[in-house]
Amino acid sequence: RASSAQSSGLQVVRILRIARVFRVFKLGKHSQGVQLFVRVLRVSFPRLMQLLFGITVVVVLLGAIIYFAEHGDYDEKTQKWMRPNKEGTDLEQTPFVSIPAGFWWVFTTITTVGYGDLYPTTIYGRVVGIVTMLMDDIVRVAARLRLPRHTRG
């Protein structure tokens, strides 16, 4: 019983220590920079949501397409999905093992990070790669367009 009372006392102390962290947020009331940042976020929120929605649609669509373009054929002997290698001379295990892996590739491609851990080798996959690179620009331009405001007539 003594150990359970002691551990519950320690939990209370931990909670109080964590609560001290939230005092930092009170400083924002007195800082003009933080107030400006909050105002900018509030005004920009609709555009940010448009951008986020557009990127989400692109990532889901192109992630699924690259998976089906690159997953190749199933090899019974190795029990893996195989695709042509970069040179097209042999087969290799596909790194696109799932649609979420395709999401990762799309996201790193549209943000121009391109780690090189995943890359298309088939002609269809390379076409999807070109479209993916272009979709980044299209989504960004579309997010900047002014939407017409509805007026009551």
Side-chain angles (χ1 to χ4, degrees):
R1 282 192 165 174
S3 65
S4 66
Q6 186 179 13
S7 67
S8 65
L10 285 176
Q11 288 177 347
V12 170
V13 171
R14 286 180 186 159
I15 290 171
L16 290 175
R17 289 180 71 192
I18 290 172
R20 287 176 32 194
V21 172
F22 292 109
R23 290 189 302 178
V24 172
F25 296 118
K26 290 181 184 178
L27 296 175
K29 291 183 203 176
H30 307 295
S31 170
Q32 289 181 343
V34 172
Q35 289 174 358
L36 177 65
F37 183 70
V38 169
R39 265 196 317 251
V40 167
L41 281 180
R42 196 174 294 139
V43 169
S44 303
F45 188 75
R47 298 290 168 104
L48 290 172
M49 289 299 103
Q50 280 180 320
L51 182 63
L52 184 64
F53 177 76
I55 289 174
T56 302
V57 168
V58 166
V59 167
V60 169
L61 231 82
L62 293 174
I65 292 171
I66 194 69
Y67 168 74
F68 288 111
E70 285 291 317
H71 81 275
D73 298 319
Y74 189 72
D75 185 16
E76 290 291 335
K77 188 171 133 183
T78 60
Q79 306 250 324
K80 296 179 180 172
W81 290 94
M82 304 299 278
R83 69 172 186 176
N85 65 0
K86 200 174 359 179
E87 295 81 24
T89 57
D90 200 10
L91 293 176
E92 66 182 9
Q93 182 182 352
T94 182
F96 295 95
V97 294
S98 65
I99 292 176
F103 295 170
W104 170 253
W105 175 81
V106 172
F107 193 74
T108 58
T109 301
I110 65 173
T111 57
T112 66
V113 173
Y115 289 119
D117 54 349
L118 304 174
Y119 51 87
T121 59
T122 66
I123 188 69
Y124 298 117
R126 290 177 179 175
V127 170
V128 174
I130 292 169
V131 170
T132 302
M133 288 182 245
L134 295 175
M135 286 306 288
D136 173 50
D137 296 331
I138 292 169
V139 167
R140 288 177 194 232
V141 168
R144 289 188 193 134
L145 296 177
R146 293 193 181 267
L147 295 177
R149 293 189 178 191
H150 297 288
T151 57
R152 295 182 184 196

